[in-house]
Amino acid sequence: MNNIIDIDDASGVLVCQAGCVLEVLDQEVGKQGLMMPLDLGAKGSCHIGGNVSTNAGGLRLVRYGNLQGSVLGLEVVKANGEVLDLLSTLRKDNTGYHLKHLFIGSEGTLGIITKVAIQCPTRPKAYNVAFLGLESFDKLLATMKKCKHQLGEILSSCEMIDAKSLDVVTSNTKLKNPIGDHPFYMLIETSGSNSTHDEEKLNSFLDNVMSDGTVLDGTVTSDPSKIKAIWDIRESITGALLYDGYVFKYDISLPTQYFYSLVPAMIERVGKDAVRVCGYGHLGDGNIHLNITVKNYSKEIMNKIEPFIYEYTSKLRGSVSAEHGIGFKKPKYVKYSKSPPAIALMKDIKKLMDANGILNPYKVLP
Amino acid sequence: MNNIIDIDDASGVLVCQAGCVLEVLDQEVGKQGLMMPLDLGAKGSCHIGGNVSTNAGGLRLVRYGNLQGSVLGLEVVKANGEVLDLLSTLRKDNTGYHLKHLFIGSEGTLGIITKVAIQCPTRPKAYNVAFLGLESFDKLLATMKKCKHQLGEILSSCEMIDAKSLDVVTSNTKLKNPIGDHPFYMLIETSGSNSTHDEEKLNSFLDNVMSDGTVLDGTVTSDPSKIKAIWDIRESITGALLYDGYVFKYDISLPTQYFYSLVPAMIERVGKDAVRVCGYGHLGDGNIHLNITVKNYSKEIMNKIEPFIYEYTSKLRGSVSAEHGIGFKKPKYVKYSKSPPAIALMKDIKKLMDANGILNPYKVLP
């Protein structure tokens, strides 16, 4: 189940079995000057079939879009054992219903993905990373807008880290903050086909946002080891939070202007019960990872957090599970992001496709 | 039904009613430095609801991807009159099944789209167009591969026109071929945030493909009126073909290496019965528009063309309707691009969503 079936260097389409590891695929398509359209921390162990089943997002969705756009075809085994050949390698195919989307993000509850055809973008030749310090979320938002407009086609990541998220890394690991202390940090990555052009664009953007005071401080690099050091900070937050004790973790999407509002709301809610309430994540996609750490788990704190966090997100029409999915822990929370008619339709489709409920039971559906 | 509900300049998300005209939307989001992620010849009259229902493709899919990637949310009226609120404005929302995809490209047979939320990319500041002459399809393919790699993030269109498609325009309209006569032509558009950078990249690419003989001849321009003149040639082919008489029109996707093979196969098949057999289209997406013109329609010629063209496409795992959809004329041809289990599932879903068959009857389903 981990064979590459074809890499078409003209169209950029990869066809492979579901058990291929994401990082291995990225290395293989890299030999043809292509890249996988998704990248996530777990790339060294996660399987492409699982990525598609869970509609994985990751660090570069702001540039390469979601899997619903990248996946061209699937082979799927249905609940009745029938093999459904939807393994198109075409970018355009309007012959009837786009059935593959039933299986992207439905976490294996409607069918088991066995093969994947996916569009791979051209692999960039140059990477640059800027790490910036800012005084408020408003300035962060202003910087994001400017970087979307000024960096345009070369912007490949736009992440935010608040002071408490950075602090947990610098306090508990050997990693160091490469700039001064600030309430907010932003990691901007560009990637493109010409390093000189990309550096010019990035430097011109940084001149602009630093000269008008939107950004207080920053560092920029095209040195791979320094780029890695900056990304390591971002990717070490999840692990470092465990040093605080027990971690309540949430993966929330909110309309961009409310992106950070949940953090002060949660601080007010849990007060001194928490060791830390912090937020970081994919600003460019409106996806924040909110974490509340406590010395020891207690039901009392849990009851302060939930359902408050879901109700808060629901009121703003956010998503209570942005990229992590539902699994068996969150079916009862789906109602906060899906209307009753939508949930009813989900159940109808499940019944149609898997009447006996044998596919990944107890998952996703409330 | 033609109101804009919101344009969020931070996230780039447009929310509007289904009756908005594509070109009007593009002008409105343009005021915020954004653009609509699709562009097609009919933009001045087509409605966004129709674009989404038919999963419209168009001229810049090679850059901005398909609507399945761009559409974030929909409001839909179901066959039973229930309003299904799937109007998320979030890029990441993994709370259960991605129901909106049932309605993208199902041509109104599962529900009627009433509102659309769509991700708009940053509007480019600079456009460049190159019009190239080539001696063979192999050279065309080689040039496409090189332009994908060398132009990377700024490539926004990659179209091909064969000699007979160009000839019908120059013979019947006032438009002129801006270069010498060649068997194949290629239209490459770049768009980006910095005109100097884009021109440098494009010129370096052109130097490369002309010095090694891949491309025989070409012209490049950043002058808007000259860009328009080149695009006019491409967009006038469909209309100019009518001067030949009756036009058999096909909209086919094929794996890239077989993109043009259908044209010589069809010439061999219909021989002297046709005035013209020609192909043009979206090389970057593998989508060719094959046209066979005859003085007058005859059933005899029709029988030579069909089902031959569908069988040919099916053997190569192509699509018998790339971007134009099925409607009421093509349901019987769906079988050439969808397997029996896929068609059975389509029918099951139709029955589930519209048991009485009241939504757009006689369409799509075989």
Side-chain angles (χ1 to χ4, degrees):
Chain A
M1 286 299 287
N2 63 353
N3 290 321
I4 290 175
I5 298 162
D6 187 48
I7 301 172
D8 181 336
D9 70 336
S11 64
V13 179
L14 161 75
V15 184
C16 68
Q17 292 180 323
C20 292
V21 170
L22 179 59
E23 194 169 39
V24 174
L25 292 175
D26 192 54
Q27 285 158 0
E28 290 301 317
V29 301
K31 294 174 188 168
Q32 310 281 347
L34 302 168
M35 65 181 283
M36 292 301 285
L38 77 162
D39 189 10
L40 47 156
K43 63 188 163 200
S45 59
C46 63
H47 296 150
I48 189 70
N51 296 151
V52 176
S53 293
T54 57
N55 190 31
L59 299 164
R60 297 198 175 88
L61 193 135
V62 70
R63 168 78 162 268
Y64 299 106
N66 54 41
L67 287 175
Q68 276 128 8
S70 303
V71 172
L72 301 182
L74 294 176
E75 182 190 83
V76 178
V77 179
K78 288 172 65 185
N80 63 5
E82 192 177 49
V83 175
L84 200 54
D85 177 359
L86 309 170
L87 201 61
S88 168
T89 59
L90 309 166
R91 288 196 81 163
K92 290 182 175 176
D93 177 17
N94 278 344
T95 52
Y97 303 165
H98 294 258
L99 299 169
K100 68 185 176 214
H101 292 287
L102 287 169
F103 308 99
I104 303 175
S106 56
E107 302 181 28
T109 61
L110 298 179
I112 298 166
I113 294 171
T114 47
K115 288 180 191 155
V116 174
I118 193 163
Q119 181 73 50
C120 298
T122 298
R123 199 172 193 91
K125 294 180 186 79
Y127 283 92
N128 289 284
V129 164
F131 192 77
L132 312 176
L134 304 102
E135 69 185 7
S136 68
F137 178 70
D138 286 350
K139 300 273 183 182
L140 204 74
L141 211 54
T143 308
M144 183 194 75
K145 284 189 209 177
K146 286 190 182 187
C147 93
K148 280 190 177 179
H149 287 289
Q150 292 180 35
L151 299 175
E153 66 278 6
I154 62 166
L155 179 67
S156 55
S157 215
C158 182
E159 300 281 308
M160 73 79 70
I161 300 170
D162 69 5
K164 287 186 184 165
S165 298
L166 190 82
D167 168 68
V168 82
V169 174
T170 52
S171 304
N172 294 296
T173 74
K174 286 176 182 169
L175 296 167
K176 284 190 172 39
N177 176 2
I179 59 174
D181 289 339
H182 300 283
F184 291 93
Y185 303 91
M186 197 163 171
L187 188 167
I188 292 172
E189 183 194 78
T190 67
S191 52
S193 55
N194 183 310
S195 59
T196 314
H197 291 171
D198 291 3
E199 278 171 34
E200 263 183 52
K201 286 189 183 90
L202 186 54
N203 288 332
S204 148
F205 159 71
L206 292 173
D207 282 351
N208 181 308
V209 289
M210 294 188 81
S211 66
D212 72 5
T214 316
V215 170
L216 297 175
D217 191 6
T219 180
V220 58
T221 183
S222 59
D223 174 337
S225 67
K226 287 184 185 158
I227 288 179
K228 187 180 175 300
I230 292 174
W231 270 117
D232 278 350
I233 294 172
R234 166 63 185 83
E235 296 195 343
S236 300
I237 303 169
T238 312
L241 285 163
L242 294 168
Y243 287 92
D244 279 356
Y246 183 87
V247 189
F248 293 95
K249 301 157 75 79
Y250 298 92
D251 170 42
I252 304 284
S253 275
L254 285 169
T256 314
Q257 71 268 38
Y258 304 114
F259 181 83
Y260 196 71
S261 66
L262 188 52
V263 180
M266 188 57 75
I267 289 171
E268 199 184 318
R269 176 91 186 160
V270 298
K272 288 173 186 166
D273 297 342
V275 175
R276 186 188 312 265
V277 178
C278 67
Y280 65 93
H282 317 294
L283 177 64
D285 315 322
N287 173 200
I288 188 165
H289 298 306
L290 174 77
N291 290 266
I292 302 126
T293 62
V294 288
K295 278 196 183 148
N296 297 293
Y297 175 87
S298 89
K299 201 151 189 178
E300 204 184 322
I301 298 169
M302 177 67 166
N303 289 338
K304 279 194 180 177
I305 299 171
E306 297 184 16
F308 168 78
I309 187 167
Y310 297 122
E311 288 166 354
Y312 185 97
T313 303
S314 182
K315 264 184 216 152
L316 295 171
R317 291 187 66 95
S319 170
V320 298
S321 187
E323 58 178 6
H324 292 172
I326 296 302
F328 68 93
K329 280 190 174 170
K330 292 189 190 162
K332 64 183 172 190
Y333 306 127
V334 168
K335 67 179 180 189
Y336 291 106
S337 290
K338 286 267 189 297
S339 68
I343 292 174
L345 180 54
M346 278 172 57
K347 288 182 176 173
D348 286 346
I349 290 169
K350 173 69 174 175
K351 203 170 158 191
L352 173 71
M353 309 270 301
D354 180 23
N356 298 319
I358 60 167
L359 291 170
N360 218 3
Y362 319 116
K363 306 278 170 61
V364 183
L365 292 133
Chain B
M1 287 299 287
N2 63 352
N3 290 321
I4 289 175
I5 297 163
D6 188 46
I7 301 171
D8 182 335
D9 70 337
S11 64
V13 179
L14 161 75
V15 184
C16 67
Q17 293 179 324
C20 292
V21 170
L22 179 59
E23 193 169 42
V24 173
L25 292 176
D26 192 54
Q27 285 159 1
E28 289 302 316
V29 301
K31 294 175 188 168
Q32 310 281 347
L34 302 168
M35 66 180 285
M36 292 300 286
L38 77 163
D39 189 10
L40 47 158
K43 64 188 161 199
S45 58
C46 64
H47 297 151
I48 189 70
N51 296 150
V52 176
S53 293
T54 57
N55 190 30
L59 300 165
R60 297 198 176 88
L61 192 135
V62 71
R63 169 77 163 267
Y64 299 106
N66 55 41
L67 287 175
Q68 275 128 7
S70 303
V71 172
L72 301 182
L74 295 175
E75 182 191 82
V76 177
V77 180
K78 287 172 66 185
N80 64 5
E82 193 177 49
V83 175
L84 199 54
D85 177 0
L86 308 171
L87 201 61
S88 168
T89 60
L90 309 167
R91 288 195 82 165
K92 289 181 177 176
D93 178 16
N94 277 345
T95 53
Y97 302 165
H98 294 257
L99 300 169
K100 66 184 178 214
H101 293 286
L102 288 169
F103 308 100
I104 302 175
S106 57
E107 304 182 27
T109 61
L110 298 179
I112 298 165
I113 294 171
T114 47
K115 288 179 191 156
V116 174
I118 193 163
Q119 181 74 47
C120 299
T122 298
R123 200 172 192 89
K125 294 179 186 80
Y127 284 93
N128 289 284
V129 164
F131 193 77
L132 312 177
L134 303 102
E135 68 185 8
S136 68
F137 178 69
D138 285 349
K139 300 273 183 183
L140 203 74
L141 211 55
T143 308
M144 183 193 76
K145 282 188 210 177
K146 285 190 182 187
C147 94
K148 280 189 178 178
H149 286 290
Q150 292 180 35
L151 299 175
E153 66 279 6
I154 63 165
L155 179 67
S156 54
S157 217
C158 182
E159 301 280 309
M160 73 80 69
I161 301 171
D162 68 6
K164 287 186 184 165
S165 298
L166 190 83
D167 168 69
V168 81
V169 173
T170 51
S171 303
N172 294 295
T173 73
K174 287 177 182 166
L175 296 167
K176 284 188 174 39
N177 177 1
I179 59 173
D181 289 339
H182 300 283
F184 291 93
Y185 303 93
M186 197 163 171
L187 189 166
I188 292 171
E189 183 193 78
T190 67
S191 51
S193 55
N194 183 310
S195 59
T196 314
H197 292 172
D198 292 3
E199 279 170 34
E200 265 183 50
K201 287 190 182 89
L202 186 54
N203 287 331
S204 148
F205 159 71
L206 291 174
D207 282 351
N208 180 309
V209 289
M210 295 189 81
S211 66
D212 72 4
T214 316
V215 170
L216 297 174
D217 190 6
T219 179
V220 58
T221 182
S222 59
D223 173 338
S225 68
K226 287 183 184 158
I227 288 179
K228 186 180 176 302
I230 292 174
W231 270 116
D232 278 350
I233 295 173
R234 166 63 184 84
E235 295 196 343
S236 299
I237 303 169
T238 312
L241 285 163
L242 294 168
Y243 287 92
D244 278 356
Y246 183 86
V247 188
F248 293 95
K249 302 157 73 80
Y250 298 92
D251 170 42
I252 305 285
S253 274
L254 286 169
T256 313
Q257 69 268 40
Y258 305 115
F259 182 82
Y260 195 70
S261 66
L262 188 52
V263 180
M266 187 57 74
I267 289 171
E268 199 185 318
R269 176 92 186 160
V270 299
K272 289 173 186 168
D273 297 343
V275 175
R276 185 188 311 266
V277 179
C278 66
Y280 64 94
H282 316 295
L283 177 64
D285 314 322
N287 173 200
I288 188 164
H289 299 305
L290 173 78
N291 290 266
I292 302 128
T293 62
V294 287
K295 279 196 181 148
N296 297 294
Y297 174 87
S298 88
K299 203 153 187 176
E300 204 183 321
I301 298 170
M302 178 66 165
N303 289 339
K304 280 195 181 177
I305 300 171
E306 296 184 16
F308 168 77
I309 186 167
Y310 297 122
E311 288 166 354
Y312 185 97
T313 303
S314 183
K315 263 183 218 154
L316 295 171
R317 290 187 68 94
S319 169
V320 298
S321 187
E323 59 178 5
H324 292 171
I326 297 301
F328 67 94
K329 280 189 175 172
K330 293 189 190 162
K332 63 184 170 189
Y333 306 126
V334 168
K335 67 178 178 190
Y336 291 106
S337 291
K338 286 267 189 300
S339 67
I343 292 173
L345 181 53
M346 279 174 57
K347 288 182 176 172
D348 285 346
I349 290 169
K350 173 69 174 176
K351 202 170 158 192
L352 173 72
M353 308 269 303
D354 180 23
N356 299 318
I358 61 168
L359 291 171
N360 217 5
Y362 319 116
K363 306 279 168 61
V364 183
L365 292 134

